[in-house]
Amino acid sequence: MMLVGTENATAKTAASGECGEILKPRTDKRDYRRIVLKNSLEVLLISDPETDKCAASMNVSVGSFSDPQGLEGLAHFLEHMLFYASQKYPEEDSYSKNITEHGGSTNAYTSSEDTNYHFDINTDSFDEALDRFAQFFIQPLMSTDATMREIKAVDSEHQKNLLSDSWRMGQLQKQLSREDHPYHRFNTGNMDTLHVRPQANGVDTRSELIKFYDEHYSANIMHLVVYGKENLDKTQGLVEELFQGIRNTNQGIPRFPGQPCTLDHLQVLVKAVPIMQGHELSVSWPVTPSIYHYEEAPCRYLGDLIGHEGEGSLFHALKILGWATGLYAGEADWSMEYSFFNVSIDLTDAGHEHMQDILGLLFKHIKVLQQSGVSQWIFDELSAICEAEFHYQGKIDPISYAVDISSNMTIYPTKHWLVGSSLPSKFNPAIVQKVLDELSPNNVRIFWESNKFEGQTDKVEPWYNTAYSLEKITKFTIQEWVQSAPDVNLLLPTPNVFIPTDFSLKDFKDKDIFPVLLRKTSYSRLWYKPDKKFFKPKAYVKMDFNCPLAVSSPDAAVLSDIFVWLLVDYLNEYALINLYYVSAYYAQTAGLDYGLSLSDNGFELSLAGFNHKLRILLEAVIQKIANFEVKPDRFSVIKETVTKAYQNNKFQQPYEQATNYCSLVLQNQIWPWTEELDALSHLEAEDLAKFVPMLLSRTFVECYIAGNVEKEEAKSMVKHIEDVLFTNRKPICRPLFPSQFLTNRVTELGTGKKYFYHQEGSNSSDENSALVHYIQVHQDEFSMNSKLQLFELIAKQAMFHQLRTIEQLGYITSLSLSNESGVYGVQFIIQSSDKGPGHIDSRVESLLKDLESKFYNMSDEEFKSNVTTLIDMKLEKDKNLDEESWFYWAEIQAGTLKFNRIDAEVAALRELKKDELIDFLDKYIRLDAPNKKSLSICVYGNQHLKEMANDKDKIPSTSIEIEDIVCFRKSQPLYGSLKL
């Protein structure tokens, strides 16, 4: 997979880059061009005249594997540092400030062998932003002062990951590998690796940082994607001007030959203690990297078969036995030199006791696949599904698209930059068989996580302090497990009836630009919007089953939750629909997604994807609801799963705990998770069997159907639901009484009042503390919404710069709008291992004081510029049917039905005067604003717990301490409902 043409000395255009060379979706109207600059920087230019955002992504082919010994995390640290300043733009943080002020976003990531920088911005501000971005790679400034501050940011990022099981288990897998291979290393960095140890060894981190940059950041190992609105010629001229200054030192892309695992690291069983409740079995084999055979897709083929969930599959067998609740298979953690094929199984308590049987069945299943050979028809199905998804994909955010492609450019030939590995097209049984043969007992690594291993381990992983034990196992042991495993019939999948074959587009004559109320009865209401914008053979369906009983108590909320879990559980079983035996899992694999979840007042069904067979899936779901029965064995498994999910709330990040407390204060129809957990412990299958008929007995179905669906089809879908649930001979559902249409209402905080809630973090091992500083402002109204959004836009960058960049309070530092059932406000969210919530709250208030002068001293030109930026952001077009549908469905769910919201808020912004914005801030936001209503939620980690009593004592007499959230909520007035 060698790159094409990077050796050329002059800028050139790929001969057929604008047409045949780069494979693109049939429905893609964008223009593409590959060029190589004089400095050997390879670039893909994308022209999209319809875009409202421009974007760029630079992929540098060096990552954490290149960290010098003793400076673990240096590549990641450099990624952070390049954001600070450059010689051309020396003002600290001016790059991020410029992008935020013009409606954009920016980010970066460091992986093992790549570092990727990216941003997006409103189209009229792209040229300057691109110039600032280019300076990352030309003449960045890495000041001594910024160096120490950003080391703290990297350390804060690491601190938030310390109690994350995914990070802990990932590092444990690295720990158990060759010490001389970079895979073995810790790669995110922390205070110890980037400051303490280097300083003790007489190493200057900043000097090493500059040395690393000079050595590795060379134009010839960079790949740039520029996504613009202008034509390709104009964008090419801009790119040549801005990026030709990047040095080319003719570096080779660093390669790290050899396998991370020797024989010592294979045939091992590792028992590890996780943070979260639960058990997981992860089985891993080193295999030939699929990247060398990406069109043959051996790991994708095998992952689909081993991870299949239909009847006859390994997962189905484990599920029937009550041993597993999830199974995932596929290639992971790969490079050009090595790869691992992983099978991860979420175990029940019973499954934990049958680990050997489960592994026996896994290897038995692999043997079935080896003996049955590689099937042409299965590969052809996979190819057909992938081809449909590629050619009819909707647009995504330009920034995400640019990142995807820039990371592909290092790996794939030019022709496949857009498609990557997503289009299997070459059937080659020998290549698939080779990887299948590598899934052998001889080279397996088994990682078994469970809290039950606590106190039974003898080793500790050094970076995350994960307790584990290690034992060797032989292939003979695994053979014994295979022989003693239960006798179940493991089969290949059956042909998938959900694969779409009709991609024709309907010819809509409708003139409506917003959803229309197409049908209304006492049972349901149907909102309809045909697709006249995206022209894809897809549909989007939302159905909210409004059941007043669903959230009437903690017991009801938990029973509703289990009901939804069981519905999803049952949907993988076959149902007879129109002479077809169908399973929802097959629909999902064929590009037809579905979801069932709790909603505010019941449960919600979502269907999205190709419209061709969507009706079949809808009928299958409705049939499962109509014929629902409680199977005691499945109830037990789901109850156990839901119980662990509730118990794991204890291990949420402190900022998540704080935001949950905030919602609990404000929302009048949610229950504390501790009460729901208590209710759950007493529930049995009989309780659910009695509850579900009552739940469904009074129901109203709110529907939204959009996309490539005709009016009569949409009506027919809803009529089918009514026929099955409401109007058949023995109806399951009856219409709601008018008084039963429940709505969410929000606690109204007292005008001029400041409230506090102090709480110890629920995980006593977590050192991090968190603050949510919430300011409640108003109920939904276009003019007020626009003023608050403008405040957030202007204040966001100032907040990040002061509290994150300068004061380094914590890696998680954000300011965002809050919309609780139509009640608007702003939330400052900060998590810190360094400072306690009381100190952080005082810094937020100090920031608010500083913001006053920022707004008061803002020039008319700055004001107009910010208004224009916000207007541009609001007028950004939806990129696909899902995005458009999310907006309209939110209006329907909220009951506001303001489908013209964007135009109305833009009109309000165009009329807004600077003085009106200042008056708004003076009245609602300013530190001592007369109408201000604020709430500070303080969650204390173990580092700062001793500060809590003192912080409570410091509360001014004019403020109010919330001792009991539920009692407080009962005592407060509520905003009126917008849903009438």
Side-chain angles (χ1 to χ4, degrees), residues 50-74:
E50 297 178 351
T51 191
D52 299 304
K53 278 275 200 298
C54 294
S57 173
M58 178 74 88
N59 196 83
V60 186
S61 294
V62 62
S64 58
F65 275 8
S66 297
D67 287 344
Q69 198 68 38
L71 276 167
E72 291 88 353
L74 192 68

mmCIF file of all heavy atoms in Angstrom, residues 50-74:
data_model
loop_
_atom_site.group_PDB
_atom_site.id
_atom_site.type_symbol
_atom_site.label_atom_id
_atom_site.label_comp_id
_atom_site.label_asym_id
_atom_site.label_seq_id
_atom_site.Cartn_x
_atom_site.Cartn_y
_atom_site.Cartn_z
ATOM 1 N N GLU A 50 -22.082 23.588 -1.493
ATOM 2 C CA GLU A 50 -23.256 23.639 -0.627
ATOM 3 C C GLU A 50 -22.907 23.742 0.856
ATOM 4 O O GLU A 50 -23.776 23.944 1.690
ATOM 5 C CB GLU A 50 -24.109 22.381 -0.836
ATOM 6 C CG GLU A 50 -24.673 22.244 -2.242
ATOM 7 C CD GLU A 50 -25.460 20.956 -2.417
ATOM 8 O OE1 GLU A 50 -25.416 20.104 -1.504
ATOM 9 O OE2 GLU A 50 -26.124 20.811 -3.462
ATOM 10 N N THR A 51 -21.627 23.624 1.199
ATOM 11 C CA THR A 51 -21.266 23.529 2.609
ATOM 12 C C THR A 51 -21.408 24.864 3.340
ATOM 13 O O THR A 51 -21.211 25.930 2.761
ATOM 14 C CB THR A 51 -19.832 22.996 2.785
ATOM 15 O OG1 THR A 51 -19.623 22.684 4.169
ATOM 16 C CG2 THR A 51 -18.783 24.033 2.363
ATOM 17 N N ASP A 52 -21.748 24.785 4.625
ATOM 18 C CA ASP A 52 -21.797 25.966 5.494
ATOM 19 C C ASP A 52 -20.589 26.020 6.423
ATOM 20 O O ASP A 52 -20.409 26.978 7.148
ATOM 21 C CB ASP A 52 -23.066 25.942 6.356
ATOM 22 C CG ASP A 52 -24.313 25.952 5.500
ATOM 23 O OD1 ASP A 52 -24.453 26.873 4.686
ATOM 24 O OD2 ASP A 52 -25.135 25.036 5.645
ATOM 25 N N LYS A 53 -19.809 24.951 6.426
ATOM 26 C CA LYS A 53 -18.607 24.882 7.236
ATOM 27 C C LYS A 53 -17.450 24.422 6.351
ATOM 28 O O LYS A 53 -17.613 23.538 5.515
ATOM 29 C CB LYS A 53 -18.775 23.867 8.370
ATOM 30 C CG LYS A 53 -19.519 24.364 9.600
ATOM 31 C CD LYS A 53 -18.585 25.091 10.554
ATOM 32 C CE LYS A 53 -19.150 25.179 11.961
ATOM 33 N NZ LYS A 53 -20.394 25.922 12.081
ATOM 34 N N CYS A 54 -16.289 25.040 6.575
ATOM 35 C CA CYS A 54 -15.065 24.534 5.961
ATOM 36 C C CYS A 54 -14.269 23.816 7.036
ATOM 37 O O CYS A 54 -14.450 24.064 8.238
ATOM 38 C CB CYS A 54 -14.247 25.677 5.370
ATOM 39 S SG CYS A 54 -15.044 26.497 3.981
ATOM 40 N N ALA A 55 -13.378 22.950 6.617
ATOM 41 C CA ALA A 55 -12.622 22.157 7.585
ATOM 42 C C ALA A 55 -11.273 21.770 7.016
ATOM 43 O O ALA A 55 -11.058 21.789 5.797
ATOM 44 C CB ALA A 55 -13.405 20.905 7.968
ATOM 45 N N ALA A 56 -10.373 21.404 7.908
ATOM 46 C CA ALA A 56 -9.067 20.878 7.499
ATOM 47 C C ALA A 56 -8.605 19.868 8.534
ATOM 48 O O ALA A 56 -8.940 19.977 9.721
ATOM 49 C CB ALA A 56 -8.047 21.995 7.361
ATOM 50 N N SER A 57 -7.864 18.890 8.070
ATOM 51 C CA SER A 57 -7.274 17.899 8.962
ATOM 52 C C SER A 57 -5.876 17.568 8.464
ATOM 53 O O SER A 57 -5.691 17.264 7.289
ATOM 54 C CB SER A 57 -8.127 16.627 9.002
ATOM 55 O OG SER A 57 -7.471 15.611 9.729
ATOM 56 N N MET A 58 -4.903 17.649 9.371
ATOM 57 C CA MET A 58 -3.525 17.278 9.050
ATOM 58 C C MET A 58 -3.163 16.032 9.845
ATOM 59 O O MET A 58 -3.235 16.020 11.083
ATOM 60 C CB MET A 58 -2.559 18.408 9.413
ATOM 61 C CG MET A 58 -1.093 18.069 9.155
ATOM 62 S SD MET A 58 -0.658 18.093 7.391
ATOM 63 C CE MET A 58 -0.217 19.841 7.205
ATOM 64 N N ASN A 59 -2.803 14.983 9.134
ATOM 65 C CA ASN A 59 -2.358 13.751 9.782
ATOM 66 C C ASN A 59 -0.842 13.656 9.670
ATOM 67 O O ASN A 59 -0.290 13.667 8.578
ATOM 68 C CB ASN A 59 -3.003 12.524 9.138
ATOM 69 C CG ASN A 59 -2.888 11.289 9.998
ATOM 70 O OD1 ASN A 59 -3.691 11.091 10.907
ATOM 71 N ND2 ASN A 59 -1.881 10.460 9.760
ATOM 72 N N VAL A 60 -0.183 13.605 10.824
ATOM 73 C CA VAL A 60 1.273 13.482 10.862
ATOM 74 C C VAL A 60 1.595 12.040 11.231
ATOM 75 O O VAL A 60 1.117 11.523 12.242
ATOM 76 C CB VAL A 60 1.884 14.435 11.915
ATOM 77 C CG1 VAL A 60 3.405 14.404 11.842
ATOM 78 C CG2 VAL A 60 1.369 15.855 11.710
ATOM 79 N N SER A 61 2.415 11.381 10.420
ATOM 80 C CA SER A 61 2.672 9.946 10.612
ATOM 81 C C SER A 61 3.720 9.688 11.679
ATOM 82 O O SER A 61 4.751 9.038 11.457
ATOM 83 C CB SER A 61 3.092 9.312 9.282
ATOM 84 O OG SER A 61 2.033 9.343 8.367
ATOM 85 N N VAL A 62 3.455 10.225 12.847
ATOM 86 C CA VAL A 62 4.272 9.921 14.029
ATOM 87 C C VAL A 62 3.347 9.997 15.231
ATOM 88 O O VAL A 62 2.471 10.866 15.315
ATOM 89 C CB VAL A 62 5.468 10.894 14.167
ATOM 90 C CG1 VAL A 62 4.998 12.328 14.359
ATOM 91 C CG2 VAL A 62 6.372 10.498 15.319
ATOM 92 N N GLY A 63 3.493 9.053 16.138
ATOM 93 C CA GLY A 63 2.623 9.010 17.309
ATOM 94 C C GLY A 63 3.388 8.580 18.536
ATOM 95 O O GLY A 63 4.611 8.707 18.614
ATOM 96 N N SER A 64 2.665 8.020 19.487
ATOM 97 C CA SER A 64 3.265 7.729 20.789
ATOM 98 C C SER A 64 4.292 6.601 20.741
ATOM 99 O O SER A 64 5.126 6.491 21.637
ATOM 100 C CB SER A 64 2.167 7.378 21.795
ATOM 101 O OG SER A 64 1.414 6.280 21.341
ATOM 102 N N PHE A 65 4.267 5.767 19.699
ATOM 103 C CA PHE A 65 5.296 4.737 19.574
ATOM 104 C C PHE A 65 6.689 5.356 19.413
ATOM 105 O O PHE A 65 7.694 4.687 19.650
ATOM 106 C CB PHE A 65 5.007 3.826 18.379
ATOM 107 C CG PHE A 65 4.056 2.696 18.683
ATOM 108 C CD1 PHE A 65 3.379 2.619 19.897
ATOM 109 C CD2 PHE A 65 3.825 1.700 17.743
ATOM 110 C CE1 PHE A 65 2.501 1.579 20.175
ATOM 111 C CE2 PHE A 65 2.954 0.653 18.012
ATOM 112 C CZ PHE A 65 2.291 0.589 19.226
ATOM 113 N N SER A 66 6.738 6.624 18.999
ATOM 114 C CA SER A 66 8.027 7.299 18.803
ATOM 115 C C SER A 66 8.495 8.058 20.042
ATOM 116 O O SER A 66 9.530 8.723 20.001
ATOM 117 C CB SER A 66 7.925 8.269 17.611
ATOM 118 O OG SER A 66 7.664 7.572 16.413
ATOM 119 N N ASP A 67 7.738 7.978 21.143
ATOM 120 C CA ASP A 67 8.171 8.644 22.379
ATOM 121 C C ASP A 67 9.572 8.188 22.769
ATOM 122 O O ASP A 67 9.849 6.974 22.769
ATOM 123 C CB ASP A 67 7.228 8.299 23.541
ATOM 124 C CG ASP A 67 5.882 8.983 23.455
ATOM 125 O OD1 ASP A 67 5.756 9.959 22.689
ATOM 126 O OD2 ASP A 67 4.949 8.547 24.161
ATOM 127 N N PRO A 68 10.446 9.109 23.146
ATOM 128 C CA PRO A 68 11.767 8.705 23.640
ATOM 129 C C PRO A 68 11.633 7.914 24.942
ATOM 130 O O PRO A 68 10.704 8.137 25.720
ATOM 131 C CB PRO A 68 12.487 10.035 23.894
ATOM 132 C CG PRO A 68 11.697 11.067 23.174
ATOM 133 C CD PRO A 68 10.289 10.570 23.123
ATOM 134 N N GLN A 69 12.566 7.021 25.175
ATOM 135 C CA GLN A 69 12.571 6.266 26.421
ATOM 136 C C GLN A 69 12.666 7.232 27.601
ATOM 137 O O GLN A 69 13.485 8.143 27.601
ATOM 138 C CB GLN A 69 13.766 5.302 26.447
ATOM 139 C CG GLN A 69 13.644 4.176 27.468
ATOM 140 C CD GLN A 69 12.542 3.179 27.111
ATOM 141 O OE1 GLN A 69 12.362 2.864 25.935
ATOM 142 N NE2 GLN A 69 11.807 2.711 28.105
ATOM 143 N N GLY A 70 11.806 7.042 28.606
ATOM 144 C CA GLY A 70 11.838 7.905 29.773
ATOM 145 C C GLY A 70 11.046 9.183 29.629
ATOM 146 O O GLY A 70 10.999 9.996 30.551
ATOM 147 N N LEU A 71 10.400 9.376 28.463
ATOM 148 C CA LEU A 71 9.538 10.545 28.262
ATOM 149 C C LEU A 71 8.195 10.082 27.682
ATOM 150 O O LEU A 71 7.730 10.568 26.651
ATOM 151 C CB LEU A 71 10.203 11.567 27.330
ATOM 152 C CG LEU A 71 11.184 12.533 27.999
ATOM 153 C CD1 LEU A 71 12.007 13.260 26.948
ATOM 154 C CD2 LEU A 71 10.442 13.554 28.875
ATOM 155 N N GLU A 72 7.595 9.125 28.364
ATOM 156 C CA GLU A 72 6.332 8.568 27.888
ATOM 157 C C GLU A 72 5.274 9.667 27.824
ATOM 158 O O GLU A 72 5.092 10.420 28.765
ATOM 159 C CB GLU A 72 5.861 7.459 28.841
ATOM 160 C CG GLU A 72 6.715 6.204 28.832
ATOM 161 C CD GLU A 72 7.881 6.264 29.811
ATOM 162 O OE1 GLU A 72 8.113 7.351 30.411
ATOM 163 O OE2 GLU A 72 8.565 5.245 29.974
ATOM 164 N N GLY A 73 4.595 9.749 26.690
ATOM 165 C CA GLY A 73 3.561 10.758 26.499
ATOM 166 C C GLY A 73 4.047 12.013 25.795
ATOM 167 O O GLY A 73 3.289 12.969 25.646
ATOM 168 N N LEU A 74 5.302 12.028 25.317
ATOM 169 C CA LEU A 74 5.842 13.246 24.703
ATOM 170 C C LEU A 74 5.098 13.603 23.418
ATOM 171 O O LEU A 74 4.819 14.786 23.163
ATOM 172 C CB LEU A 74 7.342 13.095 24.421
ATOM 173 C CG LEU A 74 8.056 14.398 24.042
ATOM 174 C CD1 LEU A 74 8.113 15.341 25.240
ATOM 175 C CD2 LEU A 74 9.476 14.133 23.519
#
